[in-house]
Amino acid sequence: MAELRNSYVKNIGFFKSFSDSSSQARVVSVAEYHRRIDALNTEELRTLCRRLKITTREDVNSKQTTSIKTDLEPEVFRPNLSDPSQLLQVDQIEKLTKHLPPRTIGYPWTLVYSTAKHGMSLKTLYRTMLGLDTPVLLVIKDSDAQIFGALASEPFKISDCFYGTGETFLFTFCPEFKVFKWTGDNMFFIKGDMDALAFGGGGGEFALWLDGDLYHGRSHSCKTFDNDMLSKKEDFIVQDIEIWAFDLRKEHISLANVSTVVKRLRTSKARSHKPSSPVDIVGSNGVYII
């Protein structure tokens, strides 16, 4: 303790000799100058500062860095589901939520199609999409009990060509959770007809393909998403399918969810380092501007 006190007194005296403008300048050797500077960085002095509850600049910088890191980490948000999911566990839903388009965050998930309710039919699947204007989440469970699927930027429909935007992505929990976003290499997002529904393309292979009976499927790597094979085997048998839409009607965002939406959007802005105009969040109790 005596050593610590002496070290502290010497260092305070060192500061005082420089800060007191009325005192006579004190000349020391270069070696002595460096010795005193080194003394300021000793563990003994830091320990003494902590015991005396003196906050050092090092402590302040550390706390600021931790605070910034915490603010930038996306908050885990668990959405409200219209029905219990028979395919996704709670932790899987939370993992997927972190990668959904910002415009879907804070809104309920609505189960619009399920093979358990609607049967195995691509025609019926298309019919349930009528009138929707929202991204949709396709979740597949195959005969090997593997879970994988895709987020489509718009509802599935019959089309002569590919459609969709870069919001579309693929995901798999086989064997661990991975998300495959758009690479920008091509625009082959989604294509559907009465015989099949497909995602991705390039190199003559689809990333994910389902037949018209929603019974047989295939997964392969492709240029659109630079994805791994989503299923355990290239060809798989579908066991169950769920498709979730996001109820984007303005009255369905609650005050309880506003803070989460605000944090996610602000985090997105902070990471982009680009100025942006205020964002309006419209809820049942008014308009919130961030």
Side-chain angles (χ1 to χ4, degrees):
M1 186 63 188
E3 270 184 39
L4 291 177
R5 190 180 298 109
N6 292 337
S7 175
Y8 178 71
V9 170
K10 286 180 181 178
N11 288 314
I12 294 301
F14 176 67
F15 279 125
K16 188 174 180 182
S17 66
F18 279 96
S19 61
D20 189 355
S21 59
S22 63
S23 63
Q24 186 177 359
R26 185 176 179 183
V27 179
V28 296
S29 66
V30 174
E32 176 65 10
Y33 170 78
H34 285 295
R35 188 193 68 76
R36 296 186 181 186
I37 290 296
D38 290 339
L40 297 178
N41 297 318
T42 60
E43 182 61 33
E44 290 85 353
L45 183 58
R46 284 196 289 270
T47 301
L48 181 60
C49 286
R50 284 195 293 270
R51 292 190 62 181
L52 296 176
K53 297 184 178 180
I54 298 173
T55 302
T56 65
R57 180 174 294 181
E58 183 182 47
D59 294 333
V60 172
N61 291 339
S62 176
K63 289 178 181 178
Q64 288 177 344
T65 302
T66 303
S67 176
I68 293 172
K69 183 178 179 181
T70 302
D71 290 341
L72 291 178
E73 288 176 352
E75 181 177 345
V76 175
F77 176 71
R78 188 179 302 169
N80 294 322
L81 275 60
S82 64
D83 300 85
S85 176
Q86 303 301 314
L87 306 185
L88 293 172
Q89 303 297 320
V90 172
D91 65 312
Q92 293 175 325
I93 292 173
E94 291 177 352
K95 288 176 181 178
L96 282 170
T97 300
K98 294 178 182 179
H99 296 275
L100 294 178
R103 62 188 174 115
T104 68
I105 302 301
Y107 293 94
W109 291 21
T110 302
L111 185 63
V112 294
Y113 176 83
S114 167
T115 50
K117 291 183 178 181
H118 302 94
M120 310 281 279
S121 169
L122 185 56
K123 184 177 180 179
T124 303
L125 186 156
Y126 287 137
R127 191 181 301 119
T128 61
M129 299 291 108
L130 296 176
L132 291 180
D133 184 20
T134 164
V136 291
L137 182 69
L138 169 70
V139 183
I140 301 169
K141 181 179 182 180
D142 68 9
S143 57
D144 292 321
Q146 303 301 314
I147 303 293
F148 50 91
L151 183 283
S153 59
E154 57 188 271
F156 301 123
K157 60 186 178 182
I158 297 174
S159 61
D160 295 328
C161 55
F162 282 89
Y163 61 93
T165 70
E167 286 182 326
T168 304
F169 66 78
L170 306 176
F171 68 89
T172 183
F173 289 95
C174 171
E176 59 185 4
F177 179 61
K178 286 185 180 180
V179 169
F180 304 97
K181 299 291 183 76
W182 177 43
T183 62
D185 194 78
N186 59 48
M187 305 285 284
F188 301 153
F189 298 114
I190 315 160
K191 188 179 187 306
D193 55 33
M194 293 306 297
D195 298 320
L197 177 64
F199 298 82
E205 297 286 352
F206 295 119
L208 179 60
W209 175 90
L210 298 172
D211 71 0
D213 296 323
L214 300 180
Y215 182 69
H216 290 100
R218 176 175 295 176
S219 178
H220 199 279
S221 60
C222 79
K223 293 182 178 180
T224 312
F225 303 104
D226 191 26
N227 59 288
D228 299 336
M229 189 169 66
L230 304 180
S231 50
K232 186 180 291 187
K233 297 174 290 188
E234 183 174 340
D235 293 289
F236 60 87
I237 302 296
V238 176
Q239 180 173 316
D240 285 299
I241 289 177
E242 289 180 350
I243 298 179
W244 298 87
F246 306 91
D247 198 334
L248 304 184
R249 287 178 292 175
K250 294 177 181 178
E251 64 270 19
H252 277 173
I253 186 168
S254 65
L255 281 171
N257 293 335
V258 167
S259 63
T260 297
V261 179
V262 169
K263 287 182 180 179
R264 286 292 298 273
L265 290 173
R266 282 178 175 167
T267 298
S268 178
K269 291 178 188 178
R271 285 175 174 165
S272 67
H273 301 291
K274 296 178 181 178
S276 56
S277 57
V279 178
D280 292 349
I281 300 175
V282 184
S284 57
N285 295 313
V287 179
Y288 313 94
I289 301 176
I290 62 171

